Amino acid sequence: MGVSIFIQQVLNGLTLGAVYTLIALAFSLVMGILGILNLAISEIFMIGAFIGFSLIMSGVPVWLALPGAMAVAAVISMVIARIGYEPLRNASHITPMLSTLGFSMILQNFATNTWGSDPMQLTLEGWLDTRFHFGLVSLSVVQIVVFVVTLGLCVLTALLIQRTDIGRGLRAVAENRDVSRILGVRPRRMILVAFALSGLLAGAAGVLVGLHYSVITPYIGVDIGLKAIAVMIVGGATNIWGALLAGPIIGILEVLTVAYGGAAMRDFIVYGMMIAILLVRPQGLLGGSSKTSGGRV
């Protein structure tokens, strides 16, 4: 029975880690290309969750609600790029970061005034409420959806970055914005693309975490967003595959800590691991030299 409980907790940790991975990847894209920490991503994730919930509760199928929430999150992210980043792109890196922090407060206020501060609950029905039992271990359809969507989005993002003209443009801007302009790349367009991609990933994560927990509040972005930043740091601040590795590690570690050590130890263990990685390997588990283009995006 003890082994079954352990396996169940690992599965729960993998589900949580998948959500962390998507948000960490959203942070990594903007960090790797523009060198700034977009703090609004945490609240874009939260807005994505509310849009997804609202669509599903209105009778929209999940397979349509997911891209719908992703699209809204991408538009919000592009607005932030236009208003909160581009006018400040020549300022010190701390200035646009503080601008995104302001946008995160605006988004949180907007959500509170639109949907209220009380938790919004969703009752899963039909195929979403199905669970598969393997002895004492169970796996829900929602968990399978979270795994499949996360892996699919990570692979698609990696292929986009490494195999397409858009990806080459993003990598060129990440390497040297002025030189990329000479080579025919339009940096302003690539900046919008980077913000849009990060919004798509954050919006997807919002819907998935909402489905997993069946309850959301306007404040879910704060805690989960900070954990995603920890995942980004542990995996390698600008490495896509680093986020895919570190997300499950952090998720499993957090869930096992709660199960066997108590909830009070959860944040201590997670952020303690982040600090340890910073001390021992500052570039993260899969991060390379900051001078290597492959380690940036």
Side-chain angles (χ1 to χ4, degrees):
M1 184 173 181
V3 175
S4 298
I5 293 175
F6 178 80
I7 295 173
Q8 184 67 64
Q9 296 302 331
V10 168
L11 287 175
N12 295 339
L14 286 172
T15 307
L16 181 60
V19 175
Y20 289 161
T21 294
L22 285 181
I23 308 173
L25 190 52
F27 278 114
S28 293
L29 279 171
V30 178
M31 174 73 80
I33 294 163
L34 305 176
I36 67 164
L37 184 62
N38 181 5
L39 296 173
I41 286 174
S42 297
E43 307 311 325
I44 294 173
F45 151 78
M46 176 269 296
I47 293 292
F50 273 103
I51 295 296
F53 257 45
S54 299
L55 290 174
I56 294 170
M57 293 171 72
S58 299
V60 177
V62 172
W63 59 273
L64 285 177
L66 178 62
M70 292 171 66
V72 172
V75 170
I76 294 173
S77 193
M78 287 190 289
V79 170
I80 293 174
R82 284 294 194 200
I83 301 175
Y85 175 76
E86 283 199 11
L88 306 170
R89 64 184 181 275
N90 294 322
S92 65
H93 287 183
I94 191 68
T95 305
M97 186 181 75
L98 292 176
S99 174
T100 63
L101 176 62
F103 271 100
S104 72
M105 296 297 101
I106 291 172
L107 291 174
Q108 191 178 98
N109 251 271
F110 171 79
T112 303
N113 285 286
T114 303
W115 290 286
S117 57
D118 294 332
M120 178 184 285
Q121 294 185 324
L122 176 69
T123 302
L124 297 179
E125 299 177 348
W127 63 276
L128 283 174
D129 195 34
T130 304
R131 299 189 72 89
F132 302 100
H133 296 275
F134 307 93
L136 297 176
V137 178
S138 66
L139 182 67
S140 69
V141 168
V142 168
Q143 286 177 299
I144 295 173
V145 170
V146 171
F147 297 147
V148 172
V149 171
T150 297
L151 185 59
L153 288 175
C154 286
V155 171
L156 287 175
T157 301
L159 291 175
L160 177 70
I161 296 295
Q162 300 296 330
R163 302 289 179 87
T164 68
D165 290 338
I166 291 176
R168 282 186 281 273
L170 290 171
R171 285 184 282 130
V173 172
E175 188 65 29
N176 190 306
R177 195 175 305 178
D178 294 328
V179 173
S180 71
R181 189 180 290 110
I182 296 173
L183 295 174
V185 177
R186 299 175 63 178
R188 290 187 66 188
R189 177 177 293 179
M190 291 300 103
I191 289 170
L192 271 182
V193 170
F195 271 84
L197 286 174
S198 69
L200 287 171
L201 293 169
V207 177
L208 295 178
V209 80
L211 289 174
H212 179 56
Y213 288 114
S214 299
V215 59
I216 54 174
T217 74
Y219 314 109
I220 60 170
V222 178
D223 180 56
I224 294 181
L226 287 175
K227 296 286 175 56
I229 292 175
V231 168
M232 178 186 69
I233 292 171
V234 170
T238 59
N239 191 290
I240 292 175
W241 302 114
L244 190 59
L245 171 66
I249 292 175
I250 294 291
I252 291 172
L253 187 64
E254 181 177 348
V255 169
L256 290 179
T257 300
V258 172
Y260 296 105
M265 292 291 293
R266 177 182 59 188
D267 291 346
F268 175 80
I269 296 296
V270 171
Y271 294 115
M273 179 182 179
M274 181 189 73
I275 293 171
I277 290 292
L278 284 172
L279 292 173
V280 176
R281 188 176 168 81
Q283 70 269 39
L285 295 177
L286 297 184
S289 169
S290 60
K291 296 180 181 180
T292 303
S293 61
R296 297 208 56 183
V297 289

